[in-house]
Amino acid sequence: MLKVLIVDDHDVVSQGISRVLQDVKGVEVVGVVHSGEEAIIQSKLLLPDIILMDVHMPGIGGLGATKEIKRILPKTKIIALSALDDNLYPVKLLEAGASGYLTKGTNTSELLEAIQMVSKGEHYISKSIAQKMALSKFSIDGQGSPLGQLSDRELQVAQMIVDCKKSNEIAEHLCVSPKTVSTYRTRIFTKLNIESDVELIHLAVRYNVLGMG
């Protein structure tokens, strides 16, 4: 019996996945949580075989949670879930130790296929994403997009700037101070050689790598 933990800050998504898996033989949903921090805590308690991890969540997010869980539970397999089918996030999640990456638009059969392959120690990338990565010859170090040079936290901040979030909203979402958000914004602009939020949005649209999901 494969023990699966679902991590997603949207109830509709997490409950939908849970209902699908409840009818699958050999799979047991041992928990549903809504943040990266909760995922770390419950992973220690429940010891799941597989975690379905939302990428974009408050706090440390799916990327930070994946890194920490793989550090403390290296045998636990993680499949990342995102509303985006960009190149950058799959690369970062695979680097962090994820075994799979699916878009939230994936159908049930592909989700189950990913779970089975990952449980056997293989990797699985959603077909639409794999095709994009192949066509763009995207390398594992994130080259090909200037946003690849941002740190995990900078990428989170950039994501929310693109979503037109104010500094205090970003601070609350990431559990940091507004001053820290300002520092991240400065670093982002410097690394990307831009001077405004508008320029950042243009980059995000061009490379299709940012957005909530």
Side-chain angles (χ1 to χ4, degrees), residues 35-46:
S35 72
E37 288 81 358
E38 287 182 282
I40 294 170
I41 294 171
Q42 291 303 312
S43 292
K44 294 176 184 178
L45 297 174
L46 301 172

Side-chain angles (χ1 to χ4, degrees), residues 106-127:
T106 191
N107 56 42
T108 300
S109 62
E110 187 173 22
L111 172 62
L112 299 181
E113 181 182 0
I115 290 174
Q116 290 302 320
M117 288 185 65
V118 166
S119 71
K120 297 175 183 178
E122 301 179 46
H123 284 74
Y124 190 95
I125 300 177
S126 184
K127 293 177 175 61

Side-chain angles (χ1 to χ4, degrees), residues 9-185:
D9 63 333
H10 294 97
D11 283 333
V12 172
V13 176
S14 60
Q15 294 303 324
I17 295 174
S18 181
R19 283 193 294 271
V20 168
L21 296 183
Q22 282 175 359
D23 297 326
V24 179
K25 291 183 179 180
V27 174
E28 177 188 6
V29 177
V30 295
V32 176
V33 297
H34 306 292
S35 72
E37 288 81 358
E38 287 182 282
I40 294 170
I41 294 171
Q42 291 303 312
S43 292
K44 294 176 184 178
L45 297 174
L46 301 172
L47 301 177
D49 299 300
I50 294 177
I51 298 174
L52 300 178
M53 180 78 74
D54 184 16
V55 175
H56 306 295
M57 295 182 291
I60 63 172
L63 184 55
T66 294
K67 287 183 175 181
E68 179 61 15
I69 291 171
K70 291 300 293 184
R71 185 186 69 80
I72 59 178
L73 297 171
K75 292 184 179 180
T76 295
K77 308 298 183 183
I78 297 176
I79 300 175
L81 301 173
S82 175
L84 300 175
D85 62 354
D86 58 89
N87 292 318
L88 183 56
Y89 274 109
V91 170
K92 285 187 171 290
L93 265 295
L94 292 173
E95 287 180 330
S99 298
Y101 196 101
L102 297 172
T103 62
K104 290 185 179 179
T106 191
N107 56 42
T108 300
S109 62
E110 187 173 22
L111 172 62
L112 299 181
E113 181 182 0
I115 290 174
Q116 290 302 320
M117 288 185 65
V118 166
S119 71
K120 297 175 183 178
E122 301 179 46
H123 284 74
Y124 190 95
I125 300 177
S126 184
K127 293 177 175 61
S128 62
I129 297 173
Q131 183 179 42
K132 283 191 173 186
M133 293 174 73
L135 290 174
S136 64
K137 296 181 180 179
F138 200 86
S139 63
I140 196 66
D141 63 1
Q143 292 177 357
S145 166
L147 291 151
Q149 64 188 301
L150 300 182
S151 70
D152 299 342
R153 183 62 87 176
E154 288 166 354
L155 195 59
Q156 282 185 298
V157 173
Q159 172 187 310
M160 282 181 279
I161 292 174
V162 170
D163 278 345
C164 300
K165 301 290 186 183
K166 297 179 180 179
S167 292
N168 61 333
E169 293 178 295
I170 297 174
E172 182 178 354
H173 188 87
L174 298 180
C175 303
V176 299
S177 69
K179 183 177 180 180
T180 298
V181 172
S182 179
T183 299
Y184 280 126
R185 184 191 295 267

